[in-house]
Amino acid sequence: MMQMLLLPLLQQLSQQSRWQLWLTPAHKLNRAWLQQSGLPLDKSMHIADSERLKAVEAMIKALRTGNCSVVLAWIAYELDEDERRRLENAAAEGDALGLILRSSGTPEAPIGPQNALKIQSDLFH
């Protein structure tokens, strides 16, 4: 699924001069995977932090700046309406794309639309 949906989008966005920001849990993003996937290392930033407030706030700030074409965040909980609204407004303000990813083992049941994108474990090392 990753190869068919997300990767072509990220490759297309990497043509822009803006950054791709990865907000992840306490794992390092796999640089070899980025290179093999055709994603530029010089336009990819990674911040490892799993705290709820920090992840959402970092995502909002990054989206709002307009310096990122996409902000990808692993957030294991369901966002509340205020968080969703703030993220949507920030993405619109910065003309950026925000993607929230979560593992298939997330215990909380999502409210609202669900995207069943599964991310391969080789993204991290």
Side-chain angles (χ1 to χ4, degrees):
M1 185 69 74
M2 170 78 167
Q3 304 300 333
M4 294 172 27
L5 297 175
L6 187 56
L7 191 53
L9 174 64
L10 293 176
Q11 289 168 337
Q12 181 179 4
L13 290 171
S14 74
Q15 300 304 309
Q16 297 181 13
S17 61
R18 303 188 296 167
W19 293 93
Q20 293 186 355
L21 177 60
W22 301 74
L23 300 170
T24 67
H27 301 290
K28 290 185 74 176
L29 194 58
N30 189 321
R31 294 172 58 87
W33 178 85
L34 283 172
Q35 288 178 311
Q36 291 168 355
S37 299
L39 300 176
L41 292 175
D42 62 338
K43 292 182 186 175
S44 298
M45 286 189 298
H46 173 244
I47 298 173
D49 193 349
S50 60
E51 289 185 46
R52 174 181 180 142
L53 181 59
K54 286 185 181 180
V56 172
E57 289 304 317
M59 194 172 184
I60 289 168
K61 287 178 184 178
L63 288 167
R64 186 174 284 140
T65 67
N67 293 328
C68 297
S69 59
V70 62
V71 178
L72 300 102
W74 272 257
I75 300 177
Y77 62 88
E78 184 61 29
L79 299 175
D80 63 33
E81 287 302 315
D82 181 58
E83 290 169 324
R84 286 178 189 265
R85 181 187 47 74
R86 291 176 60 217
L87 285 166
E88 288 173 7
N89 290 343
E93 186 177 330
D95 190 27
L97 182 62
L99 300 173
I100 296 173
L101 310 169
R102 59 176 52 100
S103 67
S104 59
T106 302
E108 295 183 36
I111 302 168
Q114 242 184 0
N115 293 328
L117 180 63
K118 296 190 179 170
I119 303 302
Q120 300 165 343
S121 62
D122 61 353
L123 282 172
F124 300 104
H125 63 123

